Amino acid sequence: MPLAGELTSSLIHRAADRYALPAAGVLRLWTCRNSPARHGGGVRADAEVILNGAGRNVLAELCGVEPAVLARALPAFTVDDPKISTGREAALAQVRWRAAGAVAGEAAFACRLCTARRTGQAQRAVRYLPRWQRVCVRHGRWLLDADADQPLEHLDLHGVPEVVAAQRQWTGMARRAGRAGAEGAEVFSLAHAVVARWWEEALHWEREEIWPHRLHRVAGGNAGTDLQRWRIVGRDPVIFPEVVAVADALLDPAMAELVWRDSGAGRPRPLPAEGAFCRRLGERVGRDWLGPLSAVDYGGPLLAWMGAVIRRRRDQGGPPGWRDDPWRLQREQQPATMAGQLRVMAAEAQSGGSATRWRATVSAEHRFRITQLVKEAGEQLEELRGGHSGTTAEVARTLLEHLSRSAALIDQALVDTAAAAVAAGVALEEVAAWSRLPAQELAEILTAGQE
C-alpha cells in the first residue's frame, strides 16, 4: 500500500523489499532513460521517478493496487515527461529520474513506526512533506530532509514537548492565514526565514539560553561533541516553536498596528531600535531582550515585512498593477538548507593549508571578536552623523574622540584577522601586503599579541 504523499521511487523500493528483491532488479521492469542523483554513499534518498502511461500500469500491477489509488496517494504518479510519454517508444514502460524537489516539493523521511502501522513493515520510506508538517505527533519525532548526505532519518522530540505542541498550534495558524488572505506556506516561509536568521546570530547572544538547552536535548543529551554539525541538522526542530510564534505575531492585526505606530503613522519617521513592535515580538518568543537586536537587522526579512506593511497602509505601492506583498520572501533572504550547509561543511573540512575555509580554521569566538570590533567601530562612526554643529572645540573633540576610538577598534580587528590568517597557513608576506604593513613589523605585532 502506498503512503499518503509518498515518492513513487520510495514505493518501488518498498515493493522490491516485499518481494525480497534488490531495487535495481525491480527497476528493470522499466526502461530507465537517465541515472539518479547520488551522494557519496549511493543514490540520494529524494531521487524520484517519473513514469509514462505504460510505466504506471506496470507499477499498479507490481503493487496490486488500482492506478486510481496510486494517483491519489503519489504526488508524482500523474506527472508527465514529454521525453517518455510521447513518440514511438511511448508504449514501452519507461521512467526518468528527477530530484523530488523539482517534481512536487520538499521530501523528508517518513516515520518508520507510522510506516509499520500502515503497511506492516518498518521500512524506510520518503514522503513529500513541507517543513511545517515535520513533527510526527504520535511518536514524537522530527522527520529530517531526505536530500542531505547524512545518516539520520529523524530526531527524537520526547525531551522537547514544546516542539510537538507547536505542531498542533500550526494547524490553526494555517487557517488564520487563509482568513487573512495569505497562503499558509507563505506565512511559514517568512517566519522561518526570520527565525533562521536569528539562529545564525544566536551563537553570539550571551543571554540566549533556550536554544542551547533544546539543541542538546534534540542531539540526545550533548551536542558539544560535534556542535557545528548539530547546529545544522537540529536547526529546524529547535527553532520550530519560535517560527510558529513569529507566524502568529505576523498574522496579528494588533502587531501590524504597532508597526504603523512605530513608523510615525501619518507623520513618517525612521523605525526606532526601541520600537513597540520588535519589543513585543521579542516578548512573544520568550526573549524580552531581543527587540533591539531584531530592529536593526537591516536587509533581513523582518524589516522587509514591516516596510511592506507600512507601504500598504500608506497606499504607496510600486508601479501601477504591482502590489507590494508583505508575505513575499526574496530569494536572497531564504535560509540555507540542511543539505547545502552540510556540503559547505564537508568542503571546508577537505581543504588544507592556506586554502582552508575561513569558518573551518578560525574559531567561532575569534570570528565573533572580529565581527564585534568592526561593529563597534561602525557604531562610533555612525554617531558622527550630523555632528558638525556647535563650537569649533566641541565639534573637534567629538570628531577626534570618536575617530580615535574607531581607529583603535579597526586596528585591533586588523591584527586579529591577520593573526587568524597566518595561523591558518597563509604566507606572512601576503598577509602583510594585504594589511599594508611591512612584513617584519607585522611579525613583531603578532608576536607581541601572542605574548
Side-chain angles (χ1 to χ4, degrees), residues 89-128:
E89 296 183 346
L92 300 175
Q94 300 181 74
V95 302
R96 280 186 64 84
W97 289 96
R98 301 271 296 277
V103 177
E106 300 171 334
F109 293 104
C111 173
R112 290 203 182 212
L113 298 178
C114 291
T115 302
R117 189 169 178 267
R118 167 72 173 162
T119 67
Q121 291 182 298
Q123 299 169 306
R124 190 187 85 170
V126 183
R127 299 172 58 199
Y128 289 103

mmCIF file of all heavy atoms in Angstrom, residues 89-128:
data_model
loop_
_atom_site.group_PDB
_atom_site.id
_atom_site.type_symbol
_atom_site.label_atom_id
_atom_site.label_comp_id
_atom_site.label_asym_id
_atom_site.label_seq_id
_atom_site.Cartn_x
_atom_site.Cartn_y
_atom_site.Cartn_z
ATOM 1 N N GLU A 89 8.262 5.208 -28.854
ATOM 2 C CA GLU A 89 8.529 4.287 -27.753
ATOM 3 C C GLU A 89 7.637 4.539 -26.542
ATOM 4 O O GLU A 89 7.860 3.982 -25.472
ATOM 5 C CB GLU A 89 9.995 4.408 -27.327
ATOM 6 C CG GLU A 89 10.973 3.984 -28.422
ATOM 7 C CD GLU A 89 12.408 4.045 -27.946
ATOM 8 O OE1 GLU A 89 12.647 4.656 -26.880
ATOM 9 O OE2 GLU A 89 13.280 3.475 -28.610
ATOM 10 N N ALA A 90 6.585 5.353 -26.704
ATOM 11 C CA ALA A 90 5.710 5.668 -25.580
ATOM 12 C C ALA A 90 4.974 4.438 -25.064
ATOM 13 O O ALA A 90 4.536 4.412 -23.909
ATOM 14 C CB ALA A 90 4.709 6.748 -25.974
ATOM 15 N N ALA A 91 4.820 3.424 -25.903
ATOM 16 C CA ALA A 91 4.114 2.212 -25.458
ATOM 17 C C ALA A 91 4.963 1.374 -24.508
ATOM 18 O O ALA A 91 4.429 0.495 -23.818
ATOM 19 C CB ALA A 91 3.705 1.379 -26.676
ATOM 20 N N LEU A 92 6.273 1.606 -24.474
ATOM 21 C CA LEU A 92 7.142 0.882 -23.553
ATOM 22 C C LEU A 92 7.046 1.477 -22.149
ATOM 23 O O LEU A 92 6.870 2.689 -21.984
ATOM 24 C CB LEU A 92 8.601 0.954 -24.033
ATOM 25 C CG LEU A 92 8.919 0.368 -25.411
ATOM 26 C CD1 LEU A 92 10.368 0.632 -25.762
ATOM 27 C CD2 LEU A 92 8.618 -1.118 -25.418
ATOM 28 N N ALA A 93 7.173 0.650 -21.129
ATOM 29 C CA ALA A 93 7.179 1.123 -19.744
ATOM 30 C C ALA A 93 8.509 1.831 -19.481
ATOM 31 O O ALA A 93 9.573 1.202 -19.512
ATOM 32 C CB ALA A 93 6.990 -0.035 -18.784
ATOM 33 N N GLN A 94 8.464 3.137 -19.245
ATOM 34 C CA GLN A 94 9.682 3.932 -19.113
ATOM 35 C C GLN A 94 9.644 4.803 -17.853
ATOM 36 O O GLN A 94 8.564 5.149 -17.356
ATOM 37 C CB GLN A 94 9.866 4.847 -20.325
ATOM 38 C CG GLN A 94 9.976 4.109 -21.653
ATOM 39 C CD GLN A 94 10.173 5.088 -22.793
ATOM 40 O OE1 GLN A 94 11.256 5.670 -22.967
ATOM 41 N NE2 GLN A 94 9.133 5.293 -23.575
ATOM 42 N N VAL A 95 10.831 5.136 -17.355
ATOM 43 C CA VAL A 95 10.949 6.070 -16.228
ATOM 44 C C VAL A 95 12.068 7.055 -16.527
ATOM 45 O O VAL A 95 12.997 6.757 -17.269
ATOM 46 C CB VAL A 95 11.251 5.350 -14.893
ATOM 47 C CG1 VAL A 95 10.185 4.336 -14.555
ATOM 48 C CG2 VAL A 95 12.634 4.711 -14.893
ATOM 49 N N ARG A 96 11.945 8.233 -15.900
ATOM 50 C CA ARG A 96 13.035 9.211 -15.898
ATOM 51 C C ARG A 96 13.256 9.642 -14.450
ATOM 52 O O ARG A 96 12.318 9.877 -13.702
ATOM 53 C CB ARG A 96 12.706 10.435 -16.754
ATOM 54 C CG ARG A 96 12.922 10.208 -18.226
ATOM 55 C CD ARG A 96 12.731 11.503 -19.009
ATOM 56 N NE ARG A 96 13.722 12.501 -18.664
ATOM 57 C CZ ARG A 96 14.941 12.565 -19.205
ATOM 58 N NH1 ARG A 96 15.313 11.672 -20.119
ATOM 59 N NH2 ARG A 96 15.784 13.507 -18.852
ATOM 60 N N TRP A 97 14.517 9.726 -14.058
ATOM 61 C CA TRP A 97 14.861 10.140 -12.704
ATOM 62 C C TRP A 97 14.854 11.672 -12.609
ATOM 63 O O TRP A 97 15.329 12.367 -13.504
ATOM 64 C CB TRP A 97 16.234 9.609 -12.310
ATOM 65 C CG TRP A 97 16.272 8.134 -12.075
ATOM 66 C CD1 TRP A 97 16.638 7.164 -12.964
ATOM 67 C CD2 TRP A 97 15.936 7.445 -10.870
ATOM 68 N NE1 TRP A 97 16.543 5.927 -12.386
ATOM 69 C CE2 TRP A 97 16.121 6.062 -11.105
ATOM 70 C CE3 TRP A 97 15.485 7.861 -9.608
ATOM 71 C CZ2 TRP A 97 15.876 5.110 -10.122
ATOM 72 C CZ3 TRP A 97 15.251 6.914 -8.642
ATOM 73 C CH2 TRP A 97 15.446 5.547 -8.892
ATOM 74 N N ARG A 98 14.301 12.159 -11.515
ATOM 75 C CA ARG A 98 14.301 13.595 -11.232
ATOM 76 C C ARG A 98 14.564 13.796 -9.743
ATOM 77 O O ARG A 98 14.415 12.868 -8.944
ATOM 78 C CB ARG A 98 12.925 14.208 -11.572
ATOM 79 C CG ARG A 98 12.473 14.048 -13.019
ATOM 80 C CD ARG A 98 12.939 15.194 -13.877
ATOM 81 N NE ARG A 98 12.338 16.442 -13.464
ATOM 82 C CZ ARG A 98 11.115 16.859 -13.829
ATOM 83 N NH1 ARG A 98 10.362 16.086 -14.614
ATOM 84 N NH2 ARG A 98 10.657 18.023 -13.428
ATOM 85 N N ALA A 99 14.919 14.993 -9.357
ATOM 86 C CA ALA A 99 15.004 15.334 -7.930
ATOM 87 C C ALA A 99 13.603 15.633 -7.425
ATOM 88 O O ALA A 99 12.814 16.310 -8.100
ATOM 89 C CB ALA A 99 15.910 16.542 -7.721
ATOM 90 N N ALA A 100 13.275 15.109 -6.256
ATOM 91 C CA ALA A 100 11.918 15.270 -5.733
ATOM 92 C C ALA A 100 11.517 16.736 -5.631
ATOM 93 O O ALA A 100 10.374 17.104 -5.914
ATOM 94 C CB ALA A 100 11.808 14.602 -4.366
ATOM 95 N N GLY A 101 12.468 17.588 -5.228
ATOM 96 C CA GLY A 101 12.160 18.997 -5.075
ATOM 97 C C GLY A 101 11.717 19.661 -6.361
ATOM 98 O O GLY A 101 10.999 20.665 -6.330
ATOM 99 N N ALA A 102 12.130 19.119 -7.506
ATOM 100 C CA ALA A 102 11.742 19.680 -8.798
ATOM 101 C C ALA A 102 10.434 19.089 -9.310
ATOM 102 O O ALA A 102 9.940 19.502 -10.359
ATOM 103 C CB ALA A 102 12.849 19.432 -9.824
ATOM 104 N N VAL A 103 9.879 18.122 -8.577
ATOM 105 C CA VAL A 103 8.654 17.456 -9.026
ATOM 106 C C VAL A 103 7.449 17.920 -8.217
ATOM 107 O O VAL A 103 6.467 18.414 -8.767
ATOM 108 C CB VAL A 103 8.797 15.922 -8.923
ATOM 109 C CG1 VAL A 103 7.493 15.231 -9.323
ATOM 110 C CG2 VAL A 103 9.938 15.431 -9.789
ATOM 111 N N ALA A 104 7.499 17.762 -6.909
ATOM 112 C CA ALA A 104 6.317 18.067 -6.094
ATOM 113 C C ALA A 104 6.663 18.696 -4.751
ATOM 114 O O ALA A 104 5.813 18.713 -3.862
ATOM 115 C CB ALA A 104 5.488 16.797 -5.885
ATOM 116 N N GLY A 105 7.872 19.177 -4.563
ATOM 117 C CA GLY A 105 8.194 19.870 -3.333
ATOM 118 C C GLY A 105 9.202 19.158 -2.457
ATOM 119 O O GLY A 105 9.835 18.189 -2.859
ATOM 120 N N GLU A 106 9.360 19.655 -1.221
ATOM 121 C CA GLU A 106 10.356 19.137 -0.292
ATOM 122 C C GLU A 106 10.035 17.700 0.108
ATOM 123 O O GLU A 106 8.879 17.341 0.315
ATOM 124 C CB GLU A 106 10.402 20.005 0.970
ATOM 125 C CG GLU A 106 10.772 21.455 0.707
ATOM 126 C CD GLU A 106 10.592 22.316 1.936
ATOM 127 O OE1 GLU A 106 9.754 21.955 2.791
ATOM 128 O OE2 GLU A 106 11.289 23.348 2.050
ATOM 129 N N ALA A 107 11.082 16.884 0.225
ATOM 130 C CA ALA A 107 10.920 15.479 0.602
ATOM 131 C C ALA A 107 11.607 15.233 1.935
ATOM 132 O O ALA A 107 12.679 15.772 2.212
ATOM 133 C CB ALA A 107 11.509 14.568 -0.468
ATOM 134 N N ALA A 108 10.972 14.404 2.762
ATOM 135 C CA ALA A 108 11.524 14.053 4.064
ATOM 136 C C ALA A 108 11.306 12.573 4.312
ATOM 137 O O ALA A 108 10.437 11.935 3.691
ATOM 138 C CB ALA A 108 10.876 14.875 5.173
ATOM 139 N N PHE A 109 12.090 12.012 5.218
ATOM 140 C CA PHE A 109 11.904 10.619 5.595
ATOM 141 C C PHE A 109 10.584 10.467 6.353
ATOM 142 O O PHE A 109 10.217 11.319 7.168
ATOM 143 C CB PHE A 109 13.056 10.137 6.474
ATOM 144 C CG PHE A 109 14.374 10.068 5.762
ATOM 145 C CD1 PHE A 109 15.351 11.021 5.976
ATOM 146 C CD2 PHE A 109 14.628 9.047 4.857
ATOM 147 C CE1 PHE A 109 16.561 10.964 5.313
ATOM 148 C CE2 PHE A 109 15.834 8.980 4.182
ATOM 149 C CZ PHE A 109 16.811 9.940 4.411
ATOM 150 N N ALA A 110 9.879 9.395 6.082
ATOM 151 C CA ALA A 110 8.664 9.095 6.830
ATOM 152 C C ALA A 110 9.029 8.444 8.158
ATOM 153 O O ALA A 110 10.105 7.863 8.307
ATOM 154 C CB ALA A 110 7.766 8.160 6.016
ATOM 155 N N CYS A 111 8.131 8.547 9.123
ATOM 156 C CA CYS A 111 8.321 7.877 10.408
ATOM 157 C C CYS A 111 8.196 6.371 10.192
ATOM 158 O O CYS A 111 7.170 5.893 9.689
ATOM 159 C CB CYS A 111 7.275 8.365 11.410
ATOM 160 S SG CYS A 111 7.287 7.471 12.975
ATOM 161 N N ARG A 112 9.215 5.620 10.540
ATOM 162 C CA ARG A 112 9.181 4.169 10.313
ATOM 163 C C ARG A 112 8.096 3.488 11.143
ATOM 164 O O ARG A 112 7.532 2.481 10.707
ATOM 165 C CB ARG A 112 10.547 3.551 10.635
ATOM 166 C CG ARG A 112 11.625 3.922 9.643
ATOM 167 C CD ARG A 112 12.746 2.917 9.647
ATOM 168 N NE ARG A 112 13.815 3.295 8.725
ATOM 169 C CZ ARG A 112 14.563 2.425 8.064
ATOM 170 N NH1 ARG A 112 14.366 1.125 8.228
ATOM 171 N NH2 ARG A 112 15.525 2.843 7.253
ATOM 172 N N LEU A 113 7.814 4.013 12.333
ATOM 173 C CA LEU A 113 6.758 3.421 13.150
ATOM 174 C C LEU A 113 5.392 3.630 12.508
ATOM 175 O O LEU A 113 4.539 2.726 12.534
ATOM 176 C CB LEU A 113 6.789 4.031 14.555
ATOM 177 C CG LEU A 113 8.078 3.785 15.351
ATOM 178 C CD1 LEU A 113 8.001 4.471 16.712
ATOM 179 C CD2 LEU A 113 8.325 2.294 15.511
ATOM 180 N N CYS A 114 5.171 4.797 11.925
ATOM 181 C CA CYS A 114 3.913 5.037 11.206
ATOM 182 C C CYS A 114 3.839 4.180 9.944
ATOM 183 O O CYS A 114 2.764 3.685 9.579
ATOM 184 C CB CYS A 114 3.791 6.511 10.848
ATOM 185 S SG CYS A 114 3.535 7.600 12.272
ATOM 186 N N THR A 115 4.976 3.998 9.268
ATOM 187 C CA THR A 115 5.007 3.149 8.076
ATOM 188 C C THR A 115 4.651 1.716 8.446
ATOM 189 O O THR A 115 3.887 1.046 7.736
ATOM 190 C CB THR A 115 6.397 3.205 7.426
ATOM 191 O OG1 THR A 115 6.710 4.556 7.088
ATOM 192 C CG2 THR A 115 6.442 2.358 6.164
ATOM 193 N N ALA A 116 5.187 1.225 9.559
ATOM 194 C CA ALA A 116 4.868 -0.134 10.004
ATOM 195 C C ALA A 116 3.395 -0.255 10.364
ATOM 196 O O ALA A 116 2.746 -1.280 10.083
ATOM 197 C CB ALA A 116 5.741 -0.498 11.199
ATOM 198 N N ARG A 117 2.855 0.777 10.978
ATOM 199 C CA ARG A 117 1.437 0.761 11.351
ATOM 200 C C ARG A 117 0.545 0.712 10.116
ATOM 201 O O ARG A 117 -0.525 0.097 10.126
ATOM 202 C CB ARG A 117 1.141 2.013 12.180
ATOM 203 C CG ARG A 117 -0.210 2.054 12.828
ATOM 204 C CD ARG A 117 -0.249 3.208 13.833
ATOM 205 N NE ARG A 117 -1.550 3.310 14.452
ATOM 206 C CZ ARG A 117 -2.534 4.099 13.994
ATOM 207 N NH1 ARG A 117 -2.321 4.868 12.939
ATOM 208 N NH2 ARG A 117 -3.705 4.146 14.613
ATOM 209 N N ARG A 118 0.990 1.342 9.037
ATOM 210 C CA ARG A 118 0.198 1.399 7.809
ATOM 211 C C ARG A 118 0.406 0.181 6.926
ATOM 212 O O ARG A 118 -0.544 -0.334 6.322
ATOM 213 C CB ARG A 118 0.585 2.682 7.050
ATOM 214 C CG ARG A 118 0.115 2.779 5.617
ATOM 215 C CD ARG A 118 -1.362 3.013 5.521
ATOM 216 N NE ARG A 118 -1.756 3.267 4.124
ATOM 217 C CZ ARG A 118 -2.993 3.167 3.687
ATOM 218 N NH1 ARG A 118 -3.969 2.827 4.521
ATOM 219 N NH2 ARG A 118 -3.275 3.435 2.429
ATOM 220 N N THR A 119 1.635 -0.305 6.844
ATOM 221 C CA THR A 119 1.959 -1.351 5.860
ATOM 222 C C THR A 119 2.342 -2.685 6.489
ATOM 223 O O THR A 119 2.446 -3.678 5.775
ATOM 224 C CB THR A 119 3.128 -0.885 4.972
ATOM 225 O OG1 THR A 119 4.324 -0.798 5.770
ATOM 226 C CG2 THR A 119 2.833 0.471 4.349
ATOM 227 N N GLY A 120 2.617 -2.694 7.796
ATOM 228 C CA GLY A 120 3.033 -3.935 8.435
ATOM 229 C C GLY A 120 4.526 -4.156 8.418
ATOM 230 O O GLY A 120 5.010 -5.154 8.963
ATOM 231 N N GLN A 121 5.292 -3.236 7.817
ATOM 232 C CA GLN A 121 6.747 -3.367 7.759
ATOM 233 C C GLN A 121 7.393 -2.028 8.096
ATOM 234 O O GLN A 121 7.024 -0.991 7.538
ATOM 235 C CB GLN A 121 7.205 -3.819 6.367
ATOM 236 C CG GLN A 121 6.828 -5.256 6.026
ATOM 237 C CD GLN A 121 7.346 -5.645 4.663
ATOM 238 O OE1 GLN A 121 6.956 -5.046 3.671
ATOM 239 N NE2 GLN A 121 8.208 -6.645 4.610
ATOM 240 N N ALA A 122 8.357 -2.066 9.008
ATOM 241 C CA ALA A 122 9.063 -0.845 9.424
ATOM 242 C C ALA A 122 10.194 -0.552 8.460
ATOM 243 O O ALA A 122 11.381 -0.657 8.790
ATOM 244 C CB ALA A 122 9.588 -0.997 10.845
ATOM 245 N N GLN A 123 9.837 -0.177 7.237
ATOM 246 C CA GLN A 123 10.824 0.093 6.192
ATOM 247 C C GLN A 123 11.090 1.588 6.074
ATOM 248 O O GLN A 123 10.295 2.414 6.523
ATOM 249 C CB GLN A 123 10.313 -0.445 4.854
ATOM 250 C CG GLN A 123 10.066 -1.943 4.818
ATOM 251 C CD GLN A 123 9.326 -2.319 3.549
ATOM 252 O OE1 GLN A 123 8.272 -1.769 3.248
ATOM 253 N NE2 GLN A 123 9.899 -3.244 2.802
ATOM 254 N N ARG A 124 12.185 1.914 5.417
ATOM 255 C CA ARG A 124 12.440 3.314 5.105
ATOM 256 C C ARG A 124 11.494 3.757 4.011
ATOM 257 O O ARG A 124 11.318 3.060 2.998
ATOM 258 C CB ARG A 124 13.889 3.516 4.651
ATOM 259 C CG ARG A 124 14.261 4.988 4.545
ATOM 260 C CD ARG A 124 15.631 5.199 3.939
ATOM 261 N NE ARG A 124 15.579 5.212 2.488
ATOM 262 C CZ ARG A 124 16.607 5.563 1.712
ATOM 263 N NH1 ARG A 124 17.762 5.894 2.257
ATOM 264 N NH2 ARG A 124 16.493 5.551 0.398
ATOM 265 N N ALA A 125 10.894 4.891 4.199
ATOM 266 C CA ALA A 125 10.027 5.479 3.184
ATOM 267 C C ALA A 125 10.308 6.974 3.131
ATOM 268 O O ALA A 125 10.774 7.565 4.111
ATOM 269 C CB ALA A 125 8.552 5.219 3.495
ATOM 270 N N VAL A 126 10.040 7.573 1.989
ATOM 271 C CA VAL A 126 10.263 9.006 1.792
ATOM 272 C C VAL A 126 8.968 9.621 1.293
ATOM 273 O O VAL A 126 8.332 9.080 0.379
ATOM 274 C CB VAL A 126 11.407 9.264 0.793
ATOM 275 C CG1 VAL A 126 11.673 10.769 0.665
ATOM 276 C CG2 VAL A 126 12.681 8.553 1.236
ATOM 277 N N ARG A 127 8.577 10.732 1.900
ATOM 278 C CA ARG A 127 7.315 11.391 1.544
ATOM 279 C C ARG A 127 7.562 12.857 1.195
ATOM 280 O O ARG A 127 8.546 13.459 1.626
ATOM 281 C CB ARG A 127 6.331 11.314 2.714
ATOM 282 C CG ARG A 127 5.938 9.920 3.134
ATOM 283 C CD ARG A 127 5.117 9.964 4.412
ATOM 284 N NE ARG A 127 3.929 10.783 4.270
ATOM 285 C CZ ARG A 127 3.240 11.294 5.295
ATOM 286 N NH1 ARG A 127 3.673 11.104 6.521
ATOM 287 N NH2 ARG A 127 2.158 12.003 5.075
ATOM 288 N N TYR A 128 6.650 13.408 0.424
ATOM 289 C CA TYR A 128 6.641 14.856 0.203
ATOM 290 C C TYR A 128 6.022 15.500 1.438
ATOM 291 O O TYR A 128 4.833 15.325 1.715
ATOM 292 C CB TYR A 128 5.828 15.207 -1.041
ATOM 293 C CG TYR A 128 6.500 14.810 -2.338
ATOM 294 C CD1 TYR A 128 6.081 13.680 -3.044
ATOM 295 C CD2 TYR A 128 7.552 15.556 -2.858
ATOM 296 C CE1 TYR A 128 6.693 13.310 -4.233
ATOM 297 C CE2 TYR A 128 8.166 15.196 -4.051
ATOM 298 C CZ TYR A 128 7.735 14.074 -4.728
ATOM 299 O OH TYR A 128 8.341 13.711 -5.900
#
